[in-house]
């Protein structure tokens, strides 16, 4: 928002400060670059709690180190690539593919954890 000099949400954000020496009501108008970053952050915040819970419980099942590393690093890599795809404005198909990779990893860890918990 500071770099774009806009995209602020709250009226108090356009008060004169050292970081905003020339406030303007137009700074409250939506800015696509700022909104894109907000969407990226919301997307990451929505998925992070599930990953932390699934990853923690999955590790408690004592999986092989190699499998756990592949799954956990794979999830993080898919999210980083999803972030970059979103940031650079890639088409939905690319973002969806990267999101799907992370989701499949989460589902696998969750199902495996449930099977171990149920003694299967």
């Amino acid at each position: 928002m500071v770099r774009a000099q806009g995209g602020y949400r709250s009226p108090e954000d356009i008060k004169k400060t050292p970081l905003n020496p020339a406030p303007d009501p137009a700074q409250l108008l939506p800015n696509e670059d700022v909104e894109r970053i907000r969407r990226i952050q919301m997307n990451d915040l929505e998925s992070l709690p599930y990953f932390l819970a699934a990853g923690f419980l999955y590790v408690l099942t004592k999986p092989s180190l190699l499998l756990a590393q592949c799954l956990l690093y794979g999830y993080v890599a898919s999210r980083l690539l999803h972030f970059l795809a979103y940031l650079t404005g890639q088409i939905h198909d690319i973002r969806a593919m990267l999101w799907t990779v992370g989701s499949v990893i989460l589902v696998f860890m969750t199902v495996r954890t449930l099977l171990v918990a149920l003694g299967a």
Side-chain angles (χ1 to χ4, degrees), residues 82-97:
H82 182 268
F83 165 81
L84 290 173
Y86 216 135
L87 185 65
T88 58
Q90 300 301 312
I91 61 173
H92 177 265
D93 297 359
I94 293 172
R95 295 191 328 261
M97 178 191 62

Side-chain angles (χ1 to χ4, degrees), residues 43-65:
N43 188 279
D44 286 341
L45 286 173
E46 289 168 355
S47 62
L48 186 61
Y50 298 113
F51 170 68
L52 293 175
F56 175 72
L57 293 173
Y58 179 71
V59 168
L60 292 178
T61 67
K62 299 180 182 174
S64 74
L65 180 59

Side-chain angles (χ1 to χ4, degrees), residues 2 7-8 14 18-20 30 44 47-48 52 55-56 58 64 71-74 76-77 94-95 98 100 107 114:
V2 172
Y8 300 126
I14 60 169
L19 293 176
N20 191 9
D44 286 341
S47 62
L48 186 61
L52 293 175
F56 175 72
Y58 179 71
S64 74
L71 292 172
L72 297 174
Y73 291 147
V76 171
I94 293 172
R95 295 191 328 261
L98 295 168
T100 301
V107 168
L114 288 171

Side-chain angles (χ1 to χ4, degrees), residues 2-111:
V2 172
R3 185 178 67 194
Q5 286 296 306
Y8 300 126
R9 283 193 169 165
S10 304
E12 61 270 14
D13 294 340
I14 60 169
K15 291 183 178 178
K16 187 173 182 172
T17 67
L19 293 176
N20 191 9
D24 182 347
Q27 291 174 321
L28 291 176
L29 297 174
N31 178 295
E32 180 51 35
D33 293 335
V34 174
E35 294 305 315
R36 177 172 297 281
I37 295 296
R38 281 192 179 118
R39 290 190 302 270
I40 291 170
Q41 288 176 331
M42 289 303 299
N43 188 279
D44 286 341
L45 286 173
E46 289 168 355
S47 62
L48 186 61
Y50 298 113
F51 170 68
L52 293 175
F56 175 72
L57 293 173
Y58 179 71
V59 168
L60 292 178
T61 67
K62 299 180 182 174
S64 74
L65 180 59
L66 179 61
L67 180 58
Q69 286 176 327
C70 288
L71 292 172
L72 297 174
Y73 291 147
Y75 181 83
V76 171
S78 74
R79 294 306 302 170
L80 287 173
L81 290 171
H82 182 268
F83 165 81
L84 290 173
Y86 216 135
L87 185 65
T88 58
Q90 300 301 312
I91 61 173
H92 177 265
D93 297 359
I94 293 172
R95 295 191 328 261
M97 178 191 62
L98 295 168
W99 179 87
T100 301
V101 169
S103 294
V104 168
I105 291 171
L106 278 180
V107 168
F108 177 84
M109 289 191 305
T110 303
V111 169

